[in-house]
Amino acid sequence: MNQKISNTNVLPPFNTACCQDGKAHLPTRNSVSTHRKVTHKPNLLGSKWFIKILKRHSSSVSTETVSKQDFPQIKRPPKASRTRQPSRTNLPVLPVNEDLMQCTAFATADEYHLGNLSQDLTSHGYVEVTSLPRDAANILVMGVENSAKEGDPGTIFFFREGAAVFWNVKDQTMKHVMQVLEKHEIQPYEIALVHWENEELNYTKTEGQSKLHRGEIRLNSELDLDDVILEKFAFSNALCLSVKLAIWEASLDKFVESIQSIPEALKAGKKVKLSHEEVMQKMGELFALRHRINLSSDFLITPDFYWDRENLEELYDKTCRFLSITRRVKVMNEKLQHCMELTDLMRNHLTEKRALRLEWMIVILITIEVLFELGRVFFLIK
């Protein structure tokens, strides 16, 4: 009878519970009982027998879970530190190539004295490259005798805007050039910030047209030296904009941190401890940063140098898109607009506060004058 009861009453609800959602899991006691109420009349003998089986299975599952918890958990390694550079972790992993050379860009100051820098570097054994066109102004190109890898001569591009781009240059040579560069900088940046906000791209020489492919620069090996310098200049120009923008992004982040307590104080109804001079100083910092981004740089338009050089303009534009320069400039302008609104609010608040103080002073003076007049009238009556 037990076999017949199990075949007729127990198996159908078990199959129904297992296949209802396409997953293999055991039914609970409640699900089995509710199913029997709907489908057929319950059989007390079969239900008691099936409940015993469920109890045995649940006890075995609980012992398994307890035994799994007893095992020591393995600690995962900590995550790598985040950087401020544009995230390029989603790019496909390229195969290791021994012919890959490195291109590194730094922004070290607001401006360089290129004339004095050229003389100083020439005295240290570096060779100036004078094959650039005349309309490529505000730039200095120097050649290095010993490059990091064979196959391409080491080249350094110095932009008057305060950025330097190194192509296939040894680390020791790079450090020496950076030391010489310190003497010719106008308003230099912090050393830690300079090395934090840098850009690095690998490049190689291959056959075919020069291009930027998956974050790797590929230069045409069949071009002569002058054309290679022009193509390197196009890539370096975009890298220069990226590192300069990274420095200004860091400056804006520092400014945002300095005014972060103001909205919280206004929300809590507390007094903001800022004078009118401090508010005007912060507004000046914002206007100066906005002027650099939108008026004093080439972030919004393509330089005139590329108007009659379509191949170089394509390399420049593609590198700028890869470095997300347009999007970063848009985000910075939105942040600057928000900061300007906050500083305008503070300035209006301080102006109203000062006007209210002047009104009270006038009221007090009028009151004093009325009192003096009343006293004079009182003494005259006596």
Side-chain angles (χ1 to χ4, degrees), residues 80-87 196-197:
S81 58
R82 295 178 61 185
T83 62
R84 296 180 183 271
Q85 298 180 8
S87 177
W196 181 260
E197 302 291 354

Side-chain angles (χ1 to χ4, degrees), residues 44 58 62 111 122 176-177 239 251 254 258 301 314 363 374:
L44 296 176
S58 61
S62 61
E111 194 174 346
T122 304
H176 178 258
V177 172
L239 290 171
S251 301
K254 187 176 180 180
S258 66
I301 59 173
E314 183 180 357
V363 170
L374 290 175

Side-chain angles (χ1 to χ4, degrees), residues 193-210:
L193 184 62
V194 168
H195 290 279
W196 181 260
E197 302 291 354
N198 65 345
E199 287 287 352
E200 293 182 359
L201 290 178
N202 295 327
Y203 79 97
T204 183
K205 283 197 167 185
T206 57
E207 297 179 356
Q209 189 177 2
S210 300

Side-chain angles (χ1 to χ4, degrees), residues 24-254:
H25 61 275
L26 288 173
T28 60
R29 192 183 305 177
N30 296 328
S31 64
V32 174
S33 61
T34 54
H35 182 78
R36 288 181 180 179
K37 289 179 181 178
V38 174
T39 55
H40 55 81
K41 295 182 179 180
N43 192 322
L44 296 176
L45 182 60
S47 61
K48 291 181 180 178
W49 181 80
F50 188 65
I51 289 171
K52 289 182 181 180
I53 295 177
L54 288 177
K55 287 183 178 179
R56 292 178 185 177
H57 182 74
S58 61
S59 62
S60 63
V61 171
S62 61
T63 54
E64 288 181 359
T65 55
V66 172
S67 61
K68 287 181 181 179
Q69 292 177 357
D70 294 337
F71 287 106
Q73 296 181 357
I74 301 174
K75 294 183 178 180
R76 295 182 179 180
K79 295 182 179 180
S81 58
R82 295 178 61 185
T83 62
R84 296 180 183 271
Q85 298 180 8
S87 177
R88 292 187 280 274
T89 56
N90 296 326
L91 292 175
V93 179
L94 297 175
V96 179
N97 189 357
E98 296 180 356
D99 297 332
L100 284 178
M101 292 163 279
Q102 198 170 33
C103 172
T104 309
F106 297 97
T108 62
D110 283 344
E111 194 174 346
Y112 293 152
H113 290 292
L114 294 183
N116 299 333
L117 178 61
S118 175
Q119 296 178 2
D120 200 354
L121 290 175
T122 304
S123 63
H124 284 84
Y126 299 96
V127 181
E128 183 177 358
V129 178
T130 59
S131 59
L132 283 176
R134 292 183 179 180
D135 52 350
N138 300 328
I139 185 173
L140 173 65
V141 185
M142 303 297 293
V144 181
E145 293 183 359
N146 299 322
S147 56
K149 290 185 178 181
E150 297 181 357
D152 188 57
T155 313
I156 309 174
F157 291 83
F158 298 96
F159 293 86
R160 188 180 295 275
E161 292 81 5
V165 184
F166 299 85
W167 292 76
N168 196 23
V169 178
K170 295 181 179 179
D171 293 339
Q172 185 177 1
T173 307
M174 197 181 302
K175 292 179 181 179
H176 178 258
V177 172
M178 296 287 277
Q179 291 176 358
V180 176
L181 190 60
E182 292 178 356
K183 306 174 185 178
H184 310 281
E185 294 175 347
I186 301 175
Q187 296 182 356
Y189 305 137
E190 297 178 3
I191 298 177
L193 184 62
V194 168
H195 290 279
W196 181 260
E197 302 291 354
N198 65 345
E199 287 287 352
E200 293 182 359
L201 290 178
N202 295 327
Y203 79 97
T204 183
K205 283 197 167 185
T206 57
E207 297 179 356
Q209 189 177 2
S210 300
K211 60 182 178 179
L212 179 67
H213 180 69
R214 295 183 178 180
E216 179 182 304
I217 299 174
R218 297 183 179 181
L219 297 176
N220 189 358
S221 59
E222 299 177 356
L223 296 177
D224 55 2
L225 182 60
D226 295 341
D227 294 335
V228 171
I229 292 294
L230 286 177
E231 291 186 349
K232 286 184 177 180
F233 169 74
F235 288 114
S236 301
N237 199 354
L239 290 171
C240 168
L241 293 180
S242 179
V243 291
K244 289 293 290 185
L245 184 58
I247 295 293
W248 293 337
E249 286 172 345
S251 301
L252 182 58
D253 291 340
K254 187 176 180 180

